[in-house]
Amino acid sequence: MAHGTILLLNGPNLNMLGTREPEIYGSRTLADIERDIVALGKSGTPQLDVVPVQSNHEGVLVDTIQTVGREADGIIFNPGAFTHYSIAIRDAVASINTPVVEVHISNVHKREEFRHHSVIAPVAAGQIVGLGEDGYRLALEWFRSQLAKNA
Ligand code: CA2
């Protein structure tokens, strides 16, 4: 079976994972998480080549969605705080055919009101919220099962 390619995209401040607020975001770094997801991608059928990208900049996220994301078979996307207000990022997701799974490490619904609304969710294939870093793994396995079905 052919390989798939998955963009693992993280937005602003997620480069700070593992350095503070471990009660909300866990104690592992983004590099730890990315390494595990890349390894998990390789260890199943179909094999998934995971491309990790993190940026604190809205335009870089838009560019990455339009380039790497457009060519990929799926995008695992934690847009960080942009989730709640970036119409530019929503439009970028809506402009490509690649399915996007929105992931949030924390349960945004248990937190401040402004975190309850996602402008990305209506253009995403689905959303995984509050399951910690396992959300990234679950999203990857969902993409794998989708690709296996369509093979
Ligand atoms: O729960 C999530 O994954 C969020 O997307 C994380 C964003 C937040 O703005 C969203 O409402 C929910 C913030 C990421 C900040 O990450 C940090 C991690 C460790 C230390 C400091 C910040």
Side-chain angles (χ1 to χ4, degrees), residues 65 69-75 92-100:
I65 291 164
R70 196 167 69 90
E71 297 298 320
D73 298 295
I75 305 176
V93 169
S95 77
I96 59 169
N97 292 323
T98 312
V100 172

Side-chain angles (χ1 to χ4, degrees), residues 14-119:
L14 287 151
N15 57 317
M16 301 297 284
L17 283 175
T19 64
R20 53 193 181 86
E21 301 190 79
E23 63 292 349
I24 301 178
Y25 297 115
S27 53
R28 299 212 321 140
T29 66
L30 182 60
D32 293 334
I33 294 169
E34 288 175 342
R35 193 187 340 97
D36 286 1
I37 298 295
V38 168
L40 188 64
K42 289 192 209 308
S43 70
T45 307
Q47 199 171 311
L48 299 175
D49 298 324
V50 175
V51 180
V53 176
Q54 186 275 331
S55 178
N56 293 327
H57 304 278
E58 188 176 30
V60 174
L61 293 168
V62 169
D63 287 344
T64 304
I65 291 164
Q66 289 178 359
T67 55
V68 186
R70 196 167 69 90
E71 297 298 320
D73 298 295
I75 305 176
I76 301 170
F77 189 18
N78 184 343
F82 286 137
T83 303
H84 313 301
Y85 67 92
S86 176
I87 306 302
I89 291 177
R90 175 199 168 114
D91 287 349
V93 169
S95 77
I96 59 169
N97 292 323
T98 312
V100 172
V101 173
E102 181 185 338
V103 172
H104 298 287
I105 296 170
S106 66
N107 184 347
V108 285
H109 300 290
K110 278 189 183 169
R111 302 181 64 195
E112 302 94 326
E113 189 80 36
F114 66 83
R115 295 188 203 275
H116 297 182
H117 183 66
S118 168
V119 300

